[in-house]
Amino acid sequence: MKKFLSVLMTIAMLAAMPFAAMAEEPFALLEGLVTELVDGGFVMQDIQQGEVMINTSEATVWDGDLMEGELAVGQYVYVEYDGRMTFSLPPQVHADRVACNVLTGSVAEVLEDGSILMNDDTFGEVIVHLSDDMRHVYAGMPITVYFNGVMALSLPGQVTASHIVLPLISGCVSNLTGEGFTLTDADGVEYEVKLAEDTLISEEIIVVEDAPEAEAEEEAEETAEEITEETTEVTAGETAGETGEESAGEADTETDEETTGILSGETGEDAVVLEDAELAEETAVPAAELLSESAIEWADDDIVTVYYNGIMSRSLPAQITAMEIVVIR
């Protein structure tokens, strides 16, 4: 009898081992926006890997809003896979699980700590914690919040946003007046934008990092090489008796000083490069505080992004009322 029980226990343990192994099996995670749907999968822009091709199959588990809904371009998804990724361009993985969790509603209040209280269509009131780069959010604005599926059991529930979607239009300004302006987007569609008393005007400075500093450094190195060659020629001339000992010494001293100055960044040209680098670092930071309309100079032909309350008229051209206008520099 004891032997029989021992055999049963052994069988039970062996049967349980695969499930334990499956439960403890590690997985890797990708997260980001879906950029393209293709046969047998989709392409996403992972926040770390960049563009990745996601292959799906009948074994792929669809979770969250994808249990009943369909995958679409623009959704923010989490992809679990076994850690194996091809070396192709773009790299490819097979998705074991694809999850998309969304809150949809309107902003009820912007809280003091920067989080928001929103009214979700399903869960009701939810506190959403936003990251520092999630700005331009105002009370009364419709909002879509993507999160990792974890919601605190507090009252109201709380989530941390991975990605948010706000109503906005970007384009070129024309016919600017004190009451509004015409905005033409990249497709040539025109909108009439109205300014309200509480419309905020801000600016965002976008610095494109080009190669002036690298070119300046190369020029400095070339100049240093030329000076070194000149020094060699002067020394050779001194040996051949073409220059006096005193003048050769002065030339060597001046050359050494120039070379040292260039290599240490003390010459006038290099000093300008350093000032430009410092300026680039300062202007690369977007304006942190919203500024009044009078503090921002903007005019026709400027590029702006308009955040609004989601309400658009059916007129031609369509009309919106701006909550914030961000002038792109």
Side-chain angles (χ1 to χ4, degrees), residues 40-64:
F42 60 94
V43 180
M44 68 179 293
Q45 189 71 21
D46 178 66
I47 58 175
Q48 293 184 343
Q49 301 287 344
E51 189 176 67
V52 180
M53 172 67 194
I54 310 298
N55 298 306
T56 59
S57 65
E58 295 180 355
T60 301
V61 176
W62 302 91
D63 205 352

Side-chain angles (χ1 to χ4, degrees), residues 154-297:
S154 57
L155 288 176
Q158 300 184 47
V159 302
T160 298
S162 301
H163 179 70
I164 62 173
V165 179
L166 303 172
L168 62 89
I169 300 175
S170 296
C172 183
V173 174
S174 62
N175 304 321
L176 177 61
T177 67
E179 298 180 352
F181 59 91
T182 300
L183 184 147
T184 306
D185 67 11
D187 296 325
V189 179
E190 292 187 349
Y191 300 87
E192 290 297 327
V193 181
K194 301 298 182 183
L195 303 178
E197 293 182 358
D198 56 350
T199 299
L200 296 173
I201 313 295
S202 65
E203 65 179 358
E204 184 171 345
I205 301 173
I206 300 177
V207 175
V208 179
E209 293 187 1
D210 44 22
E213 286 188 39
E215 292 176 358
E217 291 176 0
E218 291 178 0
E219 290 176 2
E221 291 176 0
E222 291 174 359
T223 306
E225 292 175 359
E226 291 174 0
I227 292 174
T228 303
E229 292 174 358
E230 291 175 2
T231 304
T232 304
E233 292 174 359
V234 170
T235 304
E238 178 187 357
T239 304
E242 297 174 0
T243 61
E245 180 178 355
E246 183 177 348
S247 61
E250 291 176 358
D252 286 344
T253 302
E254 291 175 0
T255 302
D256 290 341
E257 289 177 356
E258 289 180 3
T259 305
T260 304
I262 290 176
L263 295 179
S264 62
E266 295 175 0
T267 63
E269 182 179 359
D270 237 345
V272 173
V273 172
L274 292 177
E275 289 175 2
D276 290 344
E278 292 173 359
L279 180 61
E281 290 179 358
E282 292 174 0
T283 56
V285 181
E289 297 182 4
L290 300 177
L291 306 176
S292 64
E293 181 178 355
S294 59
I296 300 295
E297 296 182 359

Side-chain angles (χ1 to χ4, degrees), residues 90-109:
Q92 300 185 35
V93 304
H94 178 270
D96 296 326
R97 175 176 171 267
V98 181
C100 179
N101 300 280
V102 187
L103 299 175
T104 305
S106 60
V107 179
E109 183 181 357

